[in-house]
Amino acid sequence: MSSAPAPVSAPIPLPVGRLVGVGAIIFFANAALLVLQLVAGRLLSPYIGSSLETWTSIIGVFLAGIALGNAFGGRLADRYPSPKTLAILLGVGVVAALWMLLFPQLLASNGAYKSIPLGPRIPVLAAILCLPAGFVLSLLTPLAIKLGLPDVAHTGRVAGLIFALSTLGCLVGNYVTGFYLIPTFTVNALVLFSAGALVVLAMVALVVVKPSPSAPDAATNGGRTEATDASAGLNPHAFSDIRRAYLIVFLASFCGMTLELTASRVLAQYLGVSLFTWTGIIGVMLAGTALGNFTGGQFADRPKNTLAWLAGAVTFLGTIAVAGVVALVAAYDQDQPVVEHVLGIPAQNWAKYAPLSYEAFEERGDEIRVFIRGEVPELLPKLRIQLLAGVGIGVILGALLGYFVFGSLKRGSAPDPRSVLAATLCAGGAATVFLFVTMALISRYHLFELWDPVVQVLVWTFSMFFLPMFALGMVSPQVIRLAVPDVSQAGAVAGRVYAWSTVGAIVGTFAAGYVLLSAAGMNRTLLAASFVVTVTSLIVAKVWNNNSLLYLFSIVLGGIVGGFILTARTNRDTGIMVESNYYTIKVTRESPFNTRLKLTLDHLVHSSVDPYDPGYLYYHHEHTQMEFLRLARTQTAEPKALVIGGGGYTFPRYALEMMPEAHVDVVEIDPKVTQVARDHLGLRDYPGLQAIHMDGRQFVSEKAAPGSYDLVIQDAVNDLSVPAHLMTKEYNDAVKVSLKPGGAYLLTIIDSIAYGKLWKAAMATLTKTFPAENIVLLTAERPAPAGTAAGDSWDQTRRVLVIYASDKPLDLDKLHGAVVDQLSPGFAAGLAVGTAGGADIRAALPITLSATPLARDGVRIYTAEVPAARLKPYTDREPGVILTDQFCPIDNLMAEVFRQRYK
């Protein structure tokens, strides 16, 4: 018997045609999957609300389906690696998509779901609706990798390409759904659209994708052939225990999902919460992951130049960053003559504003914006020239240094693939720490204050979160390359690795959403994610045996420790900050000269409260709400009001102090908001107050007794975030059922009359529940008469608006009379005398167009009606759309407001 070694066969080329076919199918299938995921919340919100638990359950169920689908799909791919299998799975996916259309109709046909308590109902209904689609469509990815993989030497590239196309499909689905599909089609139409796309993809799989010529032989010899046995030797660095691979991708994905959820809380402080911020976050996460998947696949199969490229790129980018920071500091530093001579402005004027903290900037926002808009636009080109010059120098130096580092490492021996993976993990930790530097520079110097808000979102998200997600995206392809022993097991290994990666994402979703953000806060959550990623490199390689790796590991670990020390010593003297599952809650003093406190939820100053004076109301719309409660008091001895959205609890506190006989139920979704109001804002336990912590729609639909409220007030708005399920006709119908006959519904929104679309949609939708003549827009500020020039500030300014709706017409005279009667007995007596001769003095009061709130005998009246003639030009030009559970593009209706907010 000859002992000569088996001849090494020539490398098998990549099957480009088959890869293009399966890649296209994976791309569009994952786009359809994301469409289904985004509409799932709209489908279920009438039955489980739209709380943190709702979205966490939906995301968690989809991720669980993806994990199970990849684990089972890997085995399926190794047993039946053919395009026919791909087509059958797509056909089953059509059925799963149609189930998402059918199940909500089954729920609507009877109220059996209401017998399940809301807590367990949320995950149960989410699982029944979403799990089939998530599971079936995730069976496709391991099969696509199997069909496109000629041999083990190409594992990293094929897996990285398929993962990248999968992520890009999700990215396209995210943008197309958010910006085009939701504002154009109903939710059911989107589900049918996704099902139709899957039918087309099934036909493509049968007609276009060609089977692998070696597929029939793959099952011979126990699933192994001589060729695969020989190729197994190409992977001498494979993990001896596959569980190590599972642990690595689990931890990396855990940190990636934690980073994504934390990103929303970070940006909410500076940009608010809106469709644009969420789209920017999801987009940058998917873009970074997709590019990381592709790059990681290339690195996995070509380890010789990987470390050289990685080190060269880090050097290049690091040099640019340092040069940019130096140029930026030079531009703002009052000691540098460049400020005065290059920018042409006295240094002390600019320095007076540039170094302010974000909180200080908010305090002096108007003053600073006047300065910025008045003087800076003329100087901005010079500033940009200096910054571009600094960055340009950084590019040149970075290119030279990067090429030197790349060349020196390239000439060395081929690095251990495990060392490359460990370096990738350390790079992910470093990028996560570096985002703190980027965030500090942007917020400290207000770099993008003059930019379009949409551009601001893109710059914020990409500058802070792209690099960490790019590094984490490179992990999975490298792990798969180190875990696949031969082609016959490629499907199973890829599926299991991807499944464990998804399990990590699931755990990260629940951990960040329910525990980390509220318990540890944003900054420490980010640092903890960086620490976990960095320490994971110890599982991959013996870092202490490689000087370069040990140096990199030590530097990153030192940055993390320093970050923890700095966050532990953060000065909290300026106020109280509490991080909850929903908001960053801040309580700060309005001024050192009074006792009033300011409650900020994320980006919006939600309430102004005097904890020592419950009779203080800052916002005019709260006075309007109180005036309607006084009107209700004239008809019942113990008026009952429902408030959706607690905030600083200023109105409930005021109402129960002024009218102790009243009963006020407050539905606040965030328990920590209520706790902050109790601990810091003077809220006490009033006999007539009931605080309920749940989704507002679920309370109105299921808990509120029919005909039980004289007044329902909806004040659940936060900056640019409006709960869509609280604006639909179906919700308005439920509110009407909860009202007593003649009871009033006051809908609070923040919008602009001139360019806003939300107020028109809200009023149009209310006409489907209440008589159109009983829908009135109220204001406490003077609306200009019809025909006023377009520059009228009342129309142009974004402000709080209150919409009145009832089955009874609004009687302003009766409302004002109730206020005056209850607050000024002497004036009430005067009215009685005045009306004895048949003339009602109230008729002469200039209410509807008052320049300031009406004042008579010490009584101020705030409620005024905006004349219908004043609104008609806007509604004639663009009538409001009717919002339903099937069609409610709230974020898109507010898009123009978002663009105009800084103009």
Side-chain angles (χ1 to χ4, degrees), residues 389-753:
V391 172
I393 295 173
V395 169
I396 297 174
L397 292 176
L400 294 174
L401 293 175
Y403 180 76
F404 173 77
V405 173
F406 169 77
S408 62
L409 290 177
K410 186 178 180 181
R411 289 189 294 271
S413 59
D416 181 345
R418 294 196 187 184
S419 298
V420 175
L421 178 57
T424 301
L425 292 165
C426 289
T432 306
V433 173
F434 188 73
L435 73 82
F436 284 95
V437 179
T438 307
M439 180 169 57
L441 289 173
I442 295 175
S443 60
R444 178 180 175 84
Y445 295 109
H446 321 291
L447 298 182
F448 312 119
E449 173 71 18
L450 298 178
W451 293 19
D452 184 90
V454 176
V455 179
Q456 289 190 48
V457 170
L458 293 176
V459 174
W460 272 87
T461 52
F462 269 88
S463 62
M464 290 197 297
F465 300 107
F466 179 79
L467 285 180
M469 294 308 299
F470 172 72
L472 293 175
M474 290 194 293
V475 172
S476 290
Q478 295 184 62
V479 171
I480 291 176
R481 179 66 174 87
L482 289 170
V484 173
D486 57 62
V487 176
S488 67
Q489 302 179 49
V493 171
R496 290 172 186 170
V497 169
Y498 198 34
W500 277 102
S501 173
T502 309
V503 171
I506 296 172
V507 177
T509 299
F510 284 95
Y514 284 96
V515 180
L516 294 176
L517 286 173
S518 57
M522 294 176 301
N523 293 337
R524 293 180 184 176
T525 297
L526 289 172
L527 290 169
S530 178
F531 176 78
V532 172
V533 169
T534 305
V535 171
T536 303
S537 62
L538 298 175
I539 303 174
V540 179
K542 297 179 180 179
V543 173
W544 52 89
N545 287 341
N546 185 311
N547 290 336
S548 300
L549 266 181
L550 183 59
Y551 176 77
L552 178 61
F553 178 87
S554 302
I555 290 296
V556 176
L557 196 61
I560 295 170
V561 173
F564 275 115
I565 294 174
L566 290 175
T567 55
R569 298 182 53 160
T570 300
N571 186 4
R572 302 294 190 196
D573 293 340
T574 57
I576 296 98
M577 186 172 77
V578 177
E579 295 191 41
S580 73
N581 292 329
Y582 292 92
Y583 308 108
T584 296
I585 307 167
K586 294 181 182 178
V587 178
T588 55
R589 284 197 174 277
E590 286 189 357
S591 167
F593 307 107
N594 60 49
T595 59
R596 291 195 292 270
L597 301 176
K598 178 174 63 177
L599 174 70
T600 304
L601 303 182
D602 288 336
H603 189 70
L604 177 72
V605 178
H606 193 281
S607 304
S608 176
V609 186
D610 189 334
Y612 304 102
D613 181 10
Y616 169 74
L617 287 181
Y618 175 78
Y619 291 109
H620 287 177
H621 72 275
E622 293 179 307
H623 285 282
T624 295
Q625 295 165 0
M626 187 61 199
E627 289 177 359
F628 274 92
L629 188 62
R630 293 190 185 281
L631 176 62
R633 179 64 181 81
T634 63
Q635 302 172 15
T636 179
E638 297 182 354
K640 190 173 183 181
L642 171 64
V643 180
I644 308 296
Y649 280 78
T650 48
F651 168 74
R653 181 170 169 243
Y654 179 93
L656 293 171
E657 288 281 351
M658 301 296 110
M659 195 181 296
E661 66 273 19
H663 297 275
V664 181
D665 292 342
V666 181
V667 180
E668 169 57 54
I669 198 170
D670 191 346
K672 286 199 173 182
V673 169
T674 303
Q675 192 60 47
V676 167
R678 293 186 186 278
D679 294 342
H680 307 288
L681 302 181
L683 179 66
R684 61 185 181 88
D685 292 327
Y686 296 95
L689 176 65
Q690 182 182 14
I692 304 145
H693 300 115
M694 64 184 300
D695 180 86
R697 175 153 183 174
Q698 298 315 117
F699 179 84
V700 171
S701 300
E702 301 178 27
K703 302 295 184 181
S708 57
Y709 292 104
D710 301 280
L711 180 64
V712 174
I713 299 169
Q714 182 170 311
D715 199 5
V717 293
N718 180 38
D719 196 23
L720 293 169
S721 177
V722 178
H725 66 305
L726 299 184
M727 298 293 295
T728 66
K729 175 190 178 300
E730 292 83 352
Y731 174 71
N732 294 341
D733 292 343
V735 169
K736 184 177 181 180
V737 171
S738 71
L739 285 170
K740 295 179 181 179
Y745 174 40
L746 300 182
L747 171 59
T748 308
I749 60 175
I750 306 176
D751 206 6
S752 164
I753 296 294

Side-chain angles (χ1 to χ4, degrees), residues 25 30 61 120 150 162 217 231 237 351 359 372 444 467 548 653 658 685 691 735 830 887:
I25 290 173
N30 278 273
V61 166
I162 296 299
D217 301 328
S231 65
H237 302 287
E359 289 76 12
I372 290 177
R444 178 180 175 84
L467 285 180
S548 300
R653 181 170 169 243
M658 301 296 110
D685 292 327
V735 169
F887 183 76

Side-chain angles (χ1 to χ4, degrees), residues 143-478:
L143 181 58
I145 293 175
K146 180 74 173 184
L147 291 174
L149 186 61
D151 60 22
V152 75
H154 295 85
T155 303
R157 277 169 285 179
V158 172
L161 178 63
I162 296 299
F163 285 156
L165 290 172
S166 169
T167 307
L168 284 176
C170 293
L171 178 64
V172 171
N174 170 61
Y175 283 121
V176 172
T177 304
F179 289 120
Y180 179 71
L181 296 180
I182 287 180
T184 307
F185 302 101
T186 64
V187 174
N188 285 348
L190 296 184
V191 177
L192 291 173
F193 173 81
S194 301
L198 295 175
V199 171
V200 174
L201 294 177
M203 297 172 61
V204 171
L206 286 175
V207 176
V208 177
V209 180
K210 304 299 180 184
S212 171
S214 60
D217 301 328
T220 63
N221 194 23
R224 298 174 62 89
T225 64
E226 291 184 4
T228 58
D229 285 334
S231 65
L234 298 174
N235 197 9
H237 302 287
F239 293 116
S240 57
D241 189 344
I242 192 67
R243 290 175 296 183
R244 185 180 300 183
Y246 300 157
L247 179 59
I248 293 168
V249 294
F250 174 90
L251 293 174
S253 292
F254 173 91
C255 295
M257 185 56 69
T258 300
L259 188 66
E260 180 173 343
L261 292 180
T262 308
S264 66
R265 306 298 319 124
V266 171
L267 291 186
Q269 298 180 96
Y270 306 106
L271 302 175
V273 179
S274 68
L275 170 72
F276 294 98
T277 53
W278 268 113
T279 303
I281 291 167
I282 295 174
V284 73
M285 297 297 177
L286 293 176
T289 301
L291 185 59
N293 288 157
F294 179 79
T295 307
Q298 301 297 314
F299 284 179
D301 288 344
R302 297 166 180 170
K304 178 174 176 55
N305 296 330
T306 298
L307 198 55
W309 278 110
L310 195 59
V314 170
T315 304
F316 176 67
L317 294 175
T319 307
I320 294 176
V322 171
V325 169
V326 171
L328 187 64
V329 172
Y332 286 103
D333 190 347
Q334 59 178 335
D335 295 329
Q336 296 293 328
V338 71
V339 174
E340 187 164 359
H341 298 297
V342 176
L343 298 186
I345 181 174
Q348 62 271 18
N349 288 354
W350 182 270
K352 180 171 60 175
Y353 301 110
L356 289 179
S357 66
Y358 180 75
E359 289 76 12
F361 181 78
E362 284 294 300
E363 291 289 342
R364 302 172 63 185
D366 292 338
E367 174 190 353
I368 297 169
R369 287 188 176 95
V370 168
F371 167 75
I372 290 177
R373 294 188 179 112
E375 299 186 53
V376 172
E378 301 178 1
L379 311 171
L380 201 56
K382 298 177 182 179
L383 175 61
R384 287 175 176 166
I385 289 174
Q386 177 167 341
L387 293 177
L388 288 175
V391 172
I393 295 173
V395 169
I396 297 174
L397 292 176
L400 294 174
L401 293 175
Y403 180 76
F404 173 77
V405 173
F406 169 77
S408 62
L409 290 177
K410 186 178 180 181
R411 289 189 294 271
S413 59
D416 181 345
R418 294 196 187 184
S419 298
V420 175
L421 178 57
T424 301
L425 292 165
C426 289
T432 306
V433 173
F434 188 73
L435 73 82
F436 284 95
V437 179
T438 307
M439 180 169 57
L441 289 173
I442 295 175
S443 60
R444 178 180 175 84
Y445 295 109
H446 321 291
L447 298 182
F448 312 119
E449 173 71 18
L450 298 178
W451 293 19
D452 184 90
V454 176
V455 179
Q456 289 190 48
V457 170
L458 293 176
V459 174
W460 272 87
T461 52
F462 269 88
S463 62
M464 290 197 297
F465 300 107
F466 179 79
L467 285 180
M469 294 308 299
F470 172 72
L472 293 175
M474 290 194 293
V475 172
S476 290
Q478 295 184 62

